[in-house]
Amino acid sequence: MITFLRGKLVEKNHTDVVIECNGVGYFVNISLHTFSLLPEGESIMLYTYLHIKEDSHTLYGFSHKSEREIFKLLISVSGVGTSIARTMLSSLDPSQVKQAIANGDVRTIQGVKGIGAKTAQRVILDLKDKILKVYDINEVSQLASNTNNDEALSALETLGFARKQAEKVCDGIVREDPQASVETIIKLALKKL
C-alpha cells in the first residue's frame, strides 16, 4: 500500500523516525542499520513495509530496497515476527544476514537476541533457497569458502578483539582481496581495529 515515503525528517530516534509528507507525519519503525545510514539533512526517503494486524497498522522503513526484501523474507518464517526481524537487521547488516542464511550459519543467526536454536535453523531451512535464487550465488558464497578469513577471525578473537567488530573488518579485507593469506588478513585487520 505505501511503498516509500519521501519528506522532511521531523524526529529521529534509534528505533523510529517521523517523516512529514505534505503536512502528514508518518511514524516509521526502523532498524539500527537504517538509522546509521540516515542523512543529517532534513529531506529523506525510506522504502516502507506496512504491517497490518487486527489491532494495528505499523510502518517499517528501510534505507535500501534490499533490506526491505530481507525483512519480508524473515517475517515469512514461522516464529519470526516483525520485532525479531527488525532486531536481526539491527544486530547484523543485511549482507551479513544473507551470508549467514546462505552458508547455514546457525551460530550467527542464533547470536541475535530473541532467536533460539530452533528458530535459527527454521530461518535457514526456509530461506536458504530463496536467498540463493534472489541474490547472485557468487555474491553470497565468495566469503563463505574463505577459510583464511575464519582462521584470521579466530586469531583476532584470541588476541581479545570483539567478534562482531573483527568480523566486519575481516569481511571487508576479504571482499577487496579474496585470495589474501591468513597473515595478510590479520596484519590489515590489526591496522583497522
Side-chain angles (χ1 to χ4, degrees):
M1 185 175 160
I2 300 172
T3 193
F4 72 87
L5 291 173
R6 182 179 313 206
K8 180 181 173 188
L9 182 62
V10 178
E11 198 177 306
K12 175 181 171 183
N13 300 306
H14 291 307
T15 57
D16 55 73
V17 292
V18 176
I19 303 172
E20 182 200 329
C21 302
N22 298 323
V24 179
Y26 291 91
F27 181 86
V28 184
N29 292 284
I30 59 171
S31 67
L32 286 175
H33 175 72
T34 294
F35 175 81
S36 69
L37 298 175
L38 285 177
E40 286 304 314
E42 287 189 5
S43 180
I44 66 165
M45 182 186 140
L46 290 179
Y47 295 96
T48 57
Y49 174 78
L50 179 62
H51 184 68
I52 299 174
K53 292 185 349 192
E54 288 176 18
D55 58 344
S56 68
H57 288 80
T58 310
L59 261 179
Y60 291 89
F62 309 94
S63 55
H64 299 293
K65 280 184 180 177
S66 61
E67 185 181 8
R68 179 177 64 184
E69 295 312 308
I70 290 171
F71 179 83
K72 286 161 67 174
L73 284 174
L74 288 170
I75 62 173
S76 72
V77 176
S78 174
V80 177
T82 53
S83 62
I84 288 180
R86 183 170 71 157
T87 302
M88 189 180 286
L89 289 167
S90 292
S91 303
L92 306 165
D93 66 50
S95 62
Q96 290 174 312
V97 174
K98 283 189 294 194
Q99 204 70 41
I101 293 169
N103 298 329
D105 187 353
V106 175
R107 200 170 80 183
T108 298
I109 294 172
Q110 196 177 339
V112 174
K113 186 180 182 211
I115 296 185
K118 286 183 180 176
T119 305
Q121 290 167 349
R122 195 176 312 118
V123 166
I124 290 168
L125 186 68
D126 290 2
L127 300 182
K128 188 170 186 171
D129 291 340
K130 292 177 186 174
I131 289 281
L132 293 173
K133 276 183 201 164
V134 173
Y135 300 97
D136 183 17
I137 292 173
N138 294 333
E139 174 191 329
V140 173
S141 62
Q142 186 178 22
L143 296 176
S145 61
N146 196 324
T147 55
N148 291 350
N149 187 26
D150 296 338
E151 288 178 37
L153 194 58
S154 177
L156 289 167
E157 271 187 290
T158 304
L159 291 172
F161 291 99
R163 181 171 179 87
K164 281 187 180 177
Q165 189 181 11
E167 215 167 55
K168 282 183 183 177
V169 172
C170 288
D171 287 350
I173 293 166
V174 172
R175 222 176 269 119
E176 288 174 22
D177 181 10
Q179 304 306 317
S181 68
V182 177
E183 293 79 19
T184 306
I185 296 170
I186 293 171
K187 284 179 187 174
L188 292 171
L190 286 173
K191 289 178 185 173
K192 294 180 181 183
L193 287 170

